[in-house]
Amino acid sequence: MIAQRSFRRIIQSAAAAAFLATTMLSGLAHAGPTLDKINQRGTIKVGVGTTPGFFAPDSNGKWQGFFIDFGRALSIAVFGTPDKVEFTSSSPQQRLPALQSGEFDILLSGVTVTTTRAFKLGFHFGPTVFYDGQGILVRKDLGVTKAADLDGATIGAQSGTTGELNVADFFRKTGKTFTPVTIEDTGQFIDALESGRVDAITQDSSDLVGKRTQLKKPDDYVLLPERLSKEPLAPAIAGGDDRWLELVNWTVNATIQAEEWGITSANVDEFLETDDPAIQRFLGVDPSFANELGLDPKWAYTIIKTVGNYGEIFDRNLKPLGWDRGYNSLWTNGGLLYSPPFR
């Protein structure tokens, strides 16, 4: 209880709050062009897509989804509140140029990390938040059980994505043939498949799971088991702002580390009484660590209290669609999620 009372005194003291705000803003003021714009504007501009479970507006027009929750977590890290973030849908053809031009501060639209995007286009990537792979969604009445059975099929792929190259590489390696149909608007994928214009469509499996739910008869279609590629999806930002990159990195890491410690939105207040110095630093019970970084001591606490840990974000948004954690499990559970230490 002593640690909890100390924490509450810190966050409730007007003098302390004013000092922390000044410290935070002064630390960010000359951090780089992106953070300068964010602080002057008072909001974070985020580019997203339109896949249910990952990013989609609800019936009231409020954005919901897996990547949306990370955008709100980032708003907490910068401003202390989840609401100073603006989400805008952008197509794969538009999103990277829009990021380069400064239209967005960050892309949380399921961008795949590639060497070309890092070296040639100059983007920086945060931690992988979803380990994905390109799949193929096909009509069941074709009677195929694996991608190699699609010899001679007509397959729709979205222009401006790595999917066009990946599917071509796959068929070249297997010695099979296919007829590609390039589709620019992701919304046309469903029409193309249902109308019989194409036999199958290929995208990241995360997109295809969402697309299947939008079909008139979802049970008439099946996602084939193969993954044609590795598609690590990560936040993308323009180069030239190291402070912004680190805020993105550690915001994502905070959700992963919280899950590893068993800290959830429901029990985070109980952990304020812990004697573990690492958790004390993480939650701001010991504010000295965060002060040195120019952050509000309760930044990670507020993220977990508001949006939850990684597992909560995953289960809330993706589990209803039938997603299993798989590679997106913690490293302690055989997955690939691993946070560097908070110290």
Side-chain angles (χ1 to χ4, degrees), residues 111 123-124 156 179 207:
V111 180
F123 295 125
H124 291 320
T179 301
D207 290 319

Side-chain angles (χ1 to χ4, degrees), residues 269-291:
D269 287 319
E270 299 173 19
F271 278 86
L272 298 177
E273 302 179 33
T274 182
D275 293 326
D276 187 326
I279 297 178
Q280 288 180 343
R281 290 192 298 268
F282 181 73
L283 295 179
V285 175
D286 174 3
S288 59
F289 176 65
N291 285 342

Side-chain angles (χ1 to χ4, degrees), residues 2-296:
I2 295 175
Q4 187 172 15
R5 287 196 297 271
S6 298
F7 179 79
R8 286 174 177 167
R9 283 198 299 271
I10 290 170
I11 65 175
Q12 292 175 354
S13 167
F19 170 77
L20 291 171
T22 301
T23 302
M24 183 175 178
L25 291 175
S26 63
L28 298 179
H30 300 95
T34 302
L35 265 176
D36 282 344
K37 288 191 300 182
I38 288 171
N39 281 295
Q40 291 167 9
R41 187 193 308 128
T43 58
I44 303 171
K45 291 189 174 183
V46 180
V48 296
T50 53
T51 300
F54 288 91
F55 20 56
D58 62 17
S59 58
N60 296 317
K62 184 176 181 180
W63 283 92
Q64 305 289 351
F66 177 82
F67 284 105
I68 299 300
D69 281 344
F70 283 102
R72 294 196 172 108
L74 193 54
S75 175
I76 292 170
V78 177
F79 295 112
T81 173
D83 301 321
K84 292 191 175 183
V85 56
E86 177 184 322
F87 300 104
T88 302
S89 175
S90 182
S91 72
Q93 299 84 3
Q94 298 168 335
R95 63 192 182 190
L96 294 177
L99 180 61
Q100 282 181 318
S101 68
E103 182 178 341
F104 298 128
D105 302 314
I106 185 170
L107 291 180
L108 288 170
S109 54
V111 180
T112 300
V113 181
T114 71
T115 52
T116 299
R117 289 169 177 172
F119 280 90
K120 186 176 179 180
L121 301 180
F123 295 125
H124 291 320
F125 293 94
T128 297
V129 293
F130 192 85
Y131 289 92
D132 203 358
Q134 185 173 332
I136 298 178
L137 184 66
V138 61
R139 300 200 320 269
K140 280 185 179 178
D141 60 16
L142 291 181
V144 302
T145 58
K146 58 183 183 299
D149 294 338
L150 287 170
D151 192 17
T154 300
I155 301 177
Q158 189 165 19
S159 62
T161 69
T162 54
E164 291 181 275
L165 300 177
N166 292 336
V167 69
D169 286 347
F170 173 81
F171 278 91
R172 189 179 300 115
K173 287 188 297 184
T174 58
K176 308 294 185 179
T177 62
F178 78 107
T179 301
V181 174
T182 301
I183 300 174
E184 182 172 348
D185 183 357
T186 184
Q188 295 177 0
F189 267 103
I190 294 174
D191 292 337
L193 190 58
E194 289 185 322
S195 67
R197 178 186 172 198
V198 298
D199 300 310
I201 57 175
T202 182
Q203 279 184 303
D204 292 351
S205 58
S206 55
D207 290 319
L208 295 178
V209 168
K211 292 256 186 323
R212 185 173 178 270
T213 65
Q214 296 173 312
L215 292 164
K216 295 174 183 176
K217 296 181 178 180
D219 292 340
D220 289 350
Y221 303 86
V222 62
L223 182 63
L224 297 179
E226 293 96 339
R227 294 298 174 263
L228 311 188
S229 64
K230 293 186 294 184
E231 302 291 336
L233 308 183
I237 68 171
D241 197 330
D242 291 345
R243 177 73 176 191
W244 179 227
L245 176 62
E246 292 306 327
L247 274 173
V248 173
N249 288 341
W250 291 100
T251 294
V252 174
N253 290 335
T255 67
I256 298 171
Q257 185 60 66
E259 184 181 11
E260 183 177 335
W261 275 328
I263 304 174
T264 70
S265 58
N267 68 18
V268 63
D269 287 319
E270 299 173 19
F271 278 86
L272 298 177
E273 302 179 33
T274 182
D275 293 326
D276 187 326
I279 297 178
Q280 288 180 343
R281 290 192 298 268
F282 181 73
L283 295 179
V285 175
D286 174 3
S288 59
F289 176 65
N291 285 342
E292 291 176 357
L293 302 178
L295 295 173
D296 186 327

Side-chain angles (χ1 to χ4, degrees), residues 304-336:
I304 304 310
K305 184 74 172 179
T306 306
V307 301
N309 63 34
Y310 183 95
E312 290 179 279
I313 294 171
F314 188 102
D315 288 349
R316 179 169 59 247
N317 296 295
L318 302 182
K319 196 171 183 180
L321 297 178
W323 276 104
D324 293 325
R325 289 288 294 269
Y327 290 133
N328 296 294
S329 299
L330 294 176
W331 67 285
T332 51
N333 294 328
L336 298 177

